[in-house]
Amino acid sequence: MIRRLVLHIGRHKTGTSAVQRYLAGHRAAYAREGIVVPDFGGDEGPEAEPADRAAHHRIALDCCSGPVEEARRRADAADGWRARLAGAAEGGHTLVLTSEAFQNCFDFAALRVLCRDHYVEMVCYLREYLDYALSAYAQEVKKAGLYSGFFEFERGFNPQLGRFVARWETFANRCHWRLYDCSRLAEGDVVQDFLATAGLPDFGGDRYQSENPRLGGSLLGFKLLANGAGLHSLRLARALEPLAAARSDFRAPWRVGAGRQAQLRAGRDYNATLEGLVGEIRLTDAATGTLPFESPGFAADLGAILAALEDFPALRAHPLFALYQESGLCPTVP
């Protein structure tokens, strides 16, 4: 019977997609070493991304989400997953599950059913507060259709790191808290760092580090406009990723002045808790970031962005973007 269970729970925007793709891509090699990375429990929806198919989101959601009155249903679901995992992992010594959805556990009753008889090691990567807030904001604009500004978003953004840590320290046999900072990761690589932290073999190969880039600058401004016009879709979000990968200013964080940065950090106890876990941290400096609608660059950038979206004729013909082109505010899309 497998006795060791490694739970990789995120957090969001800490290289989770790279870790998930790597584990899935080397599943057979790990199996030969007695390490089981299940090939089920992922997102099987038609729009699911490769990392979401590789991760174990369905298992995590069944064990960690839902109203309190559904506790019995979640426990039954967890018991079903537990039986299925036991069958898949027969003969192995370590089981690895990875999903950011595990971090949403508030009631651990169902997860305890899933993890019964296992020694649970939890691995979680954490970002400095402002870095985390900026990344979370850009992700909400990109993937969830958010169309508010960063400062409005930040007012409601409170990760409550102390409570989060306390819950997991109570549940897991051992917690590995890691700082998501390239200068502190093994060889600057989150995949290698995760494998070393979890005590798993490194088989080399592709790290998938370029996946899921952040949107910034004019590209973020375009997505805000599209979201406000009701044009958000995951397909559009994915179509913007090559543009973000190609230009660093399309990945830059929302620009925040030094004084405002200090105010934002002072309003949260997040960084103090983080330093208690990982030691001294380096503060993110967003003073050199970009703003989404800066003139005159935005007009030219908008024309280039629309030109790259040939597969979205309805978006390009939307009155909002047609107006930009007809008014001469941006080059006409051929």
Side-chain angles (χ1 to χ4, degrees), residues 128-150:
E128 186 271 333
Y129 175 71
L130 185 58
D131 184 35
Y132 188 28
L134 289 164
S135 294
Y137 168 73
Q139 185 74 351
E140 287 294 299
V141 173
K142 177 182 175 182
K143 291 291 185 71
L146 179 73
Y147 57 92
S148 65
F150 169 69

Side-chain angles (χ1 to χ4, degrees), residues 154 257-268:
E154 192 277 336
R260 192 64 184 275
Q261 291 183 47
Q263 291 177 350
L264 295 177
R265 291 187 174 103
R268 301 281 187 258

Side-chain angles (χ1 to χ4, degrees), residues 293-316:
F293 302 109
E294 290 191 293
S295 180
F298 178 72
D301 288 341
L302 181 57
I305 292 167
L306 290 171
L309 298 176
E310 295 181 351
D311 294 336
F312 294 83
L315 181 146
R316 289 167 40 154

Side-chain angles (χ1 to χ4, degrees), residues 76-125:
D76 289 343
D79 206 36
W81 285 118
R82 180 175 179 273
R84 190 171 177 186
L85 290 169
E90 186 174 355
H93 57 75
T94 297
L95 176 65
V96 182
L97 297 177
T98 172
S99 171
E100 302 93 306
F102 281 120
Q103 69 181 280
N104 297 324
C105 276
F106 293 92
D107 176 359
F108 283 90
L111 194 58
R112 286 192 177 93
V113 172
L114 181 78
C115 301
R116 192 169 60 230
D117 301 327
H118 290 78
Y119 181 88
V120 179
E121 292 192 45
M122 184 278 292
V123 182
C124 182
Y125 286 83

Side-chain angles (χ1 to χ4, degrees), residues 86-333:
E90 186 174 355
H93 57 75
T94 297
L95 176 65
V96 182
L97 297 177
T98 172
S99 171
E100 302 93 306
F102 281 120
Q103 69 181 280
N104 297 324
C105 276
F106 293 92
D107 176 359
F108 283 90
L111 194 58
R112 286 192 177 93
V113 172
L114 181 78
C115 301
R116 192 169 60 230
D117 301 327
H118 290 78
Y119 181 88
V120 179
E121 292 192 45
M122 184 278 292
V123 182
C124 182
Y125 286 83
L126 302 167
R127 302 181 80 135
E128 186 271 333
Y129 175 71
L130 185 58
D131 184 35
Y132 188 28
L134 289 164
S135 294
Y137 168 73
Q139 185 74 351
E140 287 294 299
V141 173
K142 177 182 175 182
K143 291 291 185 71
L146 179 73
Y147 57 92
S148 65
F150 169 69
F151 297 110
E152 181 180 350
F153 168 83
E154 192 277 336
R155 283 195 294 272
F157 181 73
N158 188 356
Q160 297 186 327
L161 183 58
R163 295 183 183 181
F164 177 78
V165 169
R167 289 199 303 270
W168 281 97
E169 290 282 359
T170 300
F171 171 75
N173 297 97
R174 184 179 182 186
C175 293
H176 299 274
W177 303 106
R178 302 291 296 162
L179 181 64
Y180 189 71
D181 179 336
C182 287
S183 68
R184 297 271 291 272
L185 299 175
E187 301 299 324
D189 173 24
V190 69
V191 174
Q192 187 165 334
D193 192 90
F194 169 77
L195 298 177
T197 299
L200 304 178
D202 185 346
F203 296 108
D206 199 337
R207 299 305 210 203
Y208 305 100
Q209 291 285 44
S210 62
E211 292 192 344
N212 198 17
R214 156 173 36 202
L215 302 188
S218 297
L219 196 59
L220 178 68
F222 164 77
K223 189 59 168 58
L224 285 167
L225 289 175
N227 293 350
L231 298 170
H232 164 70
S233 69
L234 290 178
R235 179 169 168 261
L236 174 60
R238 292 183 189 126
L240 299 180
E241 290 177 349
L243 298 176
R247 282 179 53 175
S248 60
D249 60 317
F250 279 0
R251 301 189 303 274
W254 187 293
R255 185 165 68 240
V256 183
R260 192 64 184 275
Q261 291 183 47
Q263 291 177 350
L264 295 177
R265 291 187 174 103
R268 301 281 187 258
D269 61 1
Y270 181 102
N271 277 356
T273 302
L274 181 58
E275 287 193 325
L277 293 170
V278 302
E280 184 177 357
I281 61 176
R282 179 176 58 179
L283 298 182
T284 297
D285 184 5
T288 59
T290 61
L291 294 176
F293 302 109
E294 290 191 293
S295 180
F298 178 72
D301 288 341
L302 181 57
I305 292 167
L306 290 171
L309 298 176
E310 295 181 351
D311 294 336
F312 294 83
L315 181 146
R316 289 167 40 154
H318 188 278
L320 175 64
F321 298 113
L323 177 63
Y324 266 88
Q325 297 169 69
E326 293 168 3
S327 66
L329 292 173
C330 72
T332 301
V333 178

